Amino acid sequence: MNAHNNRTNVYTTVYDFEEFSETTAIESSVILDRIFLDFDAHGERLQKALDDVRIVMQMVKDEDLIHTLFFSGRGFHLFIEGNRTDNIRDIQAYFKVVKQYLYENGGGSSLDDRVGQASRLRRVPNTVNMASDDGSGNVLYCIPLFYEDVFSMNLEDILLMARSPRLIPFQKSGSQRVVFPEQPPIEMVEGEVSVPKHNGKLPILPCLHNATMVENPGHFARVYLVQWYRDILTGSSGIRLNGEQIKEVSERIMEELHDVFGSSEEIWLDWNERESFKHVSYIVRNNRYSPKCETLISNGYCVGKCWRFPNGKK
């Protein structure tokens, strides 16, 4: 970490994992025992993010929830610990509880709706945010904060403190774990979820949007996304494409990936045009359908019933 700090952004996963391959964590072994709340200015004043954090931190304090809080350099990261669940939808349900509380108390616009992705990344504490600026040309560090800090300090105080690492012992606050609301089987859920607005031209499933709109999506999430785009562009015909067709479909998928993911500074941080095209071409040539809902649900991708459930194959 010391070798990269001050030279590049340094990240780690939001969630812990029980199993690892030679190069990465195995997504199916994720330990779902916390919720990650990202308060981001999203181009607005950073003060709004601080205001929203104060509202939620008061709820956390009142309920004595186990938590850690960090200023990220461009916003705030709040982790609330809970009893372990095996269903990502339980965590997403608790997010709705937090967001409702936030709106009822006059806040809400800075809280990022992307929640519950197993592969989500967060900044390593006391590392620099290369995209940050305190208004005077100084980059800022991701530093730990406490309840007393966000209520006793103003934004200028926090920015001043974040000009350097805050090297204090790691400490959690609170004593109670959240019990995430247990969600019924997807078959029993009423209503449908929709996809938030994005920069793409091709339609995307809510589950794939949720799984890929993160800093470093897992391998299978990317594969499923490309398979989905292939289905869309070929009408899910299942036909075996010839060389020119493979090239045309691959280039169209690459255009979509570049516009939605490759041109962003917040997601797909490992984006590499050449490597992406190589993998996209292989997936398109391989001629496999995108996974059925049953597969997506069992692997923890489903975020709610959408138009494709239960028999959708295209």
Side-chain angles (χ1 to χ4, degrees):
M1 185 181 76
N2 291 334
H4 295 284
N5 199 13
N6 290 320
R7 299 178 182 177
T8 186
N9 294 304
V10 184
Y11 296 92
T12 187
T13 54
V14 166
Y15 294 103
D16 298 325
F17 294 82
E18 292 179 323
E19 299 176 21
F20 296 83
S21 67
E22 291 184 3
T23 57
T24 189
I26 297 176
E27 270 190 61
S28 59
S29 71
V30 64
I31 301 172
L32 301 174
D33 62 353
R34 70 198 65 162
I35 186 169
F36 170 58
L37 302 174
D38 182 8
F39 298 84
D40 195 317
H42 293 300
E44 301 178 34
R45 293 180 303 116
L46 190 54
Q47 181 64 47
K48 179 57 182 172
L50 177 57
D51 292 342
D52 285 348
V53 165
R54 285 170 172 164
I55 293 172
V56 177
M57 282 295 290
Q58 189 59 58
M59 179 196 78
V60 169
K61 179 72 170 179
D62 292 344
E63 298 182 14
D64 194 28
L65 300 178
I66 301 173
H67 68 279
T68 52
L69 175 67
F70 302 88
F71 173 66
S72 70
R74 297 180 67 184
F76 299 86
H77 292 169
L78 175 59
F79 298 81
I80 303 175
E81 297 197 2
N83 292 338
R84 184 172 178 177
T85 176
D86 59 1
N87 188 348
I88 200 77
R89 292 173 50 241
D90 296 350
I91 295 176
Q92 292 161 350
Y94 183 71
F95 173 80
K96 295 178 182 178
V97 173
V98 175
K99 191 163 187 176
Q100 181 64 31
Y101 177 90
L102 191 52
Y103 277 122
E104 288 176 352
N105 287 274
S109 65
S110 75
L111 182 57
D112 195 329
D113 285 324
R114 294 177 297 164
V115 64
Q117 303 102 326
S119 57
R120 186 79 187 265
L121 298 182
R122 48 79 59 91
R123 294 187 182 277
V124 173
N126 292 312
T127 62
V128 72
N129 184 330
M130 299 298 291
S132 64
D133 189 330
D134 67 351
S136 301
N138 301 300
V139 292
L140 300 169
Y141 284 79
C142 173
I143 60 171
L145 295 174
F146 300 93
Y147 174 87
E148 294 76 16
D149 294 329
V150 295
F151 284 96
S152 66
M153 301 170 68
N154 58 35
L155 181 59
E156 289 70 28
D157 295 331
I158 295 174
L159 295 179
L160 182 61
M161 180 184 291
R163 287 185 181 180
S164 59
R166 191 181 190 186
L167 301 176
I168 58 177
F170 177 76
Q171 178 183 336
K172 296 179 182 180
S173 302
S175 64
Q176 303 298 314
R177 289 182 175 273
V178 168
V179 178
F180 297 118
E182 184 175 354
Q183 297 304 288
I186 193 67
E187 296 86 354
M188 299 176 60
V189 175
E190 297 183 1
E192 292 186 355
V193 295
S194 58
V195 177
K197 292 182 179 180
H198 65 292
N199 297 328
K201 298 177 182 177
L202 297 177
I204 182 173
L205 296 173
C207 56
L208 296 183
H209 182 275
N210 185 69
T212 57
M213 295 296 287
V214 295
E215 298 91 340
N216 186 27
H219 171 71
F220 285 107
R222 303 188 206 214
V223 171
Y224 294 161
L225 177 66
V226 174
Q227 289 175 335
W228 168 252
Y229 284 153
R230 183 196 187 280
D231 285 355
I232 291 295
L233 294 170
T234 62
S236 297
S237 61
I239 61 171
R240 186 163 296 280
L241 305 178
N242 61 37
E244 186 60 31
Q245 291 171 323
I246 291 173
K247 182 175 182 291
E248 290 178 1
V249 172
S250 298
E251 288 178 346
R252 180 64 189 86
I253 292 175
M254 282 298 299
E255 179 184 333
E256 185 77 4
L257 294 178
H258 180 272
D259 291 347
V260 179
F261 306 100
S263 59
S264 173
E265 296 182 355
E266 298 183 351
I267 55 177
W268 287 40
L269 302 177
D270 60 351
W271 169 260
N272 181 296
E273 190 107 14
R274 179 179 297 179
E275 283 296 308
S276 295
F277 185 74
K278 180 175 69 175
H279 291 294
V280 166
S281 298
Y282 174 81
I283 295 169
V284 171
R285 187 184 306 112
N286 207 29
N287 197 44
R288 291 187 178 179
Y289 286 118
S290 54
K292 295 181 179 180
C293 290
E294 180 181 358
T295 301
L296 294 168
I297 293 171
S298 63
N299 289 336
Y301 287 93
C302 183
V303 295
K305 187 184 296 184
C306 73
W307 61 268
R308 190 176 185 252
F309 180 84
N311 299 315
K313 196 177 180 181
K314 59 182 179 179

